[in-house]
Amino acid sequence: MLDYLFIPGTTHGKLLRRNLRIEAKLMLVVCTQSVIPRRGDKVEVRFAEILVLYMLLHGSPLVPFRFLVLNNIWIGQKIGERKIVPHCQLITALLKLYGAIGAAAKGSYKRYKPFDLTHLGTGWEYKESERYQKMKSDGQRWRALKVDARPLQPREADEPESGDDDYQEDTFAVDVEMGGAGPSGGVPGVGTKSGYMGSAFDYAQQP
C-alpha cells in the first residue's frame, strides 16, 4: 500500500504528505477538508488514512462504510479537547431518525467552507483550459479531462500536453468519458506516461 501511494524511496521514517503521489495527496485533501477535518498535524499521513486512500485509489479491498464512520469517531474520541466531531450531519440525522432528539432541535452551527479545487492550500497550483483541469504539487503534475468537456469534432486534434510548459512531463491523464475501473489489472480510460501511477479510479463513473 505504501509503495502504491507514495513516491518510491520515501516510505522510510515519517510518512509525510508531501511524499504522496499527487492523486493520493489530492484525495487526502478531500478527506481532511470534507470528511474528518483536521485542526493540525497536516504534515504527516496517519496510519488510519493509508487504508482509506489505498481503497479509494486502487478499488480494493472494499471497506464497509460503517467501519470508516466508526474509525473516524474513534479518532475524534482520542482527541483530548473534543474539538473534532466527525460525520456530524450523519450522526445528527440518525439521532433524529430514532427519536433521540426532536426534529425541531437546534444545535450550534460551525462555519463550513465548501471544497474548492482552486483553494487546496499551500503547495498546490491549479489551472484550467478548455478541456482539462491541471494541477501541480511539490513538482508533480496531473491533468484530468473535464466531465463536461465537449466531444472532439472528426479529425480534430486534442489539446497537446506540450502546449503548456508546466505540464509536459510525468503527466497522469484521466479520461472521464471512457469509464471503467476495477480492483484487478489495468483501468480502461486511464493513460500514463513513464510508468507513472499504474492505475486509479475514474471518479466520474464510479459511485
Side-chain angles (χ1 to χ4, degrees):
M1 290 184 182
L2 296 179
D3 291 339
Y4 187 86
L5 296 173
F6 287 85
I7 298 172
T10 62
T11 55
H12 57 278
K14 294 183 178 180
L15 300 177
L16 302 178
R17 290 180 66 170
R18 68 169 182 263
N19 294 329
L20 284 169
R21 298 180 188 267
I22 190 168
E23 298 81 17
K25 191 186 304 182
L26 177 60
M27 183 55 63
L28 182 59
V29 172
V30 175
C31 292
T32 56
Q33 289 190 10
S34 300
V35 181
I36 177 168
R38 286 196 191 181
R39 296 183 63 89
D41 183 30
K42 294 189 177 181
V43 174
E44 298 182 35
V45 183
R46 294 171 175 161
F47 289 110
E49 295 165 343
I50 298 298
L51 176 62
V52 176
L53 292 176
Y54 185 83
M55 176 193 68
L56 290 172
L57 292 170
H58 186 264
S60 67
L62 298 180
V63 176
F65 179 69
R66 284 177 292 181
F67 167 81
L68 300 180
V69 172
L70 291 173
N71 185 59
N72 286 345
I73 291 175
W74 178 81
I75 293 175
Q77 190 271 340
K78 287 293 183 182
I79 297 175
E81 298 180 2
R82 303 292 189 270
K83 291 183 177 180
I84 294 178
V85 181
H87 303 287
C88 295
Q89 292 178 331
L90 175 63
I91 295 171
T92 302
L94 289 172
L95 291 173
K96 289 183 177 180
L97 177 64
Y98 289 100
I101 56 177
K106 293 183 179 180
S108 60
Y109 292 89
K110 187 179 184 300
R111 288 181 299 172
Y112 174 73
K113 184 179 179 181
F115 181 78
D116 187 351
L117 281 173
T118 61
H119 295 87
L120 293 177
T122 306
W124 286 93
E125 181 180 336
Y126 176 81
K127 290 185 178 180
E128 204 172 335
S129 65
E130 180 190 3
R131 291 175 52 77
Y132 289 94
Q133 294 174 313
K134 305 176 181 181
M135 309 188 75
K136 289 175 61 178
S137 178
D138 294 316
Q140 299 184 73
R141 301 165 177 84
W142 181 86
R143 80 170 191 170
L145 186 68
K146 291 181 179 178
V147 176
D148 57 352
R150 64 172 181 82
L152 294 175
Q153 299 298 320
R155 298 185 180 179
E156 179 185 3
D158 197 2
E159 175 185 320
E161 293 180 24
S162 59
D164 190 336
D165 293 338
D166 287 338
Y167 299 89
Q168 286 187 26
E169 300 176 356
D170 296 331
T171 298
F172 182 86
V174 180
D175 186 340
V176 299
E177 292 185 344
M178 296 180 69
S184 60
V187 179
V190 175
T192 60
K193 291 178 129 185
S194 305
Y196 184 69
M197 192 71 173
S199 60
F201 257 152
D202 178 344
Y203 295 101
Q205 301 294 333
Q206 297 295 328

